[in-house]
Amino acid sequence: MSNSSTESTNSPSTEMKYGEREIAKGELITFPNPRIGRRYNIDISLPEFTCKCPFSGYPDFATIYINYIPDEKVVELKTLKLYINSYRDRYISHEESANQILDDFVSACDPLEITVKADFSPRGNVHTVVEVTHQKSNK
């Protein structure tokens, strides 16, 4: 085995890994609701949410709960996972992260109703839960 191939497998690479490329896209993709006109709830929990405190740079950890009633579109779960992972290195407050997730989800899916709850792990003896909601207006 040549020295150059040993270095390429043992040395850290600065090249972006395939998972990092997928996360960087962070785009929510949808598909047609198979039961338009029927009201039903979709509950999703994402227990590995991370971001960074915009003031200290310390990591914050949360479980994100999304409960929505779809209208014409449903979110594709793999893209939701990748989108949520895109927050990992972002400097963003608890409040803004919950609101941004809601805004991006509404923009992609336009659900009838949605609640996003961000339940952050305690840090410094403080436990934060941020819950934001949206309801589609009747035009």
Side-chain angles (χ1 to χ4, degrees):
M1 182 181 243
S2 74
N3 191 24
S4 63
S5 68
T6 303
E7 287 176 14
S8 67
T9 58
N10 293 333
S11 301
S13 172
T14 57
E15 182 180 319
M16 202 179 236
K17 310 289 187 255
Y18 72 90
E20 293 169 321
R21 287 191 301 271
E22 291 294 316
I23 290 168
K25 290 178 190 173
E27 180 183 349
L28 292 172
I29 295 173
T30 63
F31 61 92
N33 179 357
R35 294 293 181 145
I36 292 175
R38 174 176 287 169
R39 288 182 65 89
Y40 62 97
N41 287 317
I42 298 175
D43 289 309
I44 302 166
S45 63
L46 302 143
E48 297 176 346
F49 179 84
T50 62
C51 62
K52 292 182 180 178
C53 174
F55 306 104
S56 69
Y58 291 140
D60 284 318
F61 304 92
T63 298
I64 304 295
Y65 299 95
I66 298 172
N67 175 281
Y68 74 105
I69 300 171
D71 189 9
E72 295 182 14
K73 296 182 264 184
V74 176
V75 73
E76 198 279 321
L77 293 176
K78 181 180 178 185
T79 64
L80 177 60
K81 172 188 76 170
L82 295 170
Y83 166 79
I84 288 295
N85 286 340
S86 74
Y87 281 81
R88 181 185 66 200
D89 293 322
R90 252 174 151 176
Y91 295 95
I92 188 168
S93 69
H94 298 173
E95 297 79 7
E96 181 58 17
S97 61
N99 278 284
Q100 189 62 58
I101 291 166
L102 178 81
D103 290 347
D104 291 344
F105 200 100
V106 168
S107 179
C109 285
D110 195 24
L112 296 173
E113 296 176 23
I114 181 171
T115 299
V116 173
K117 181 171 136 181
D119 185 351
F120 283 86
S121 299
R123 183 161 53 86
N125 199 31
V126 176
H127 177 213
T128 308
V129 178
V130 179
E131 188 170 310
V132 292
T133 61
H134 170 81
Q135 189 166 3
K136 193 171 187 173
S137 63
N138 296 331
K139 292 182 179 180

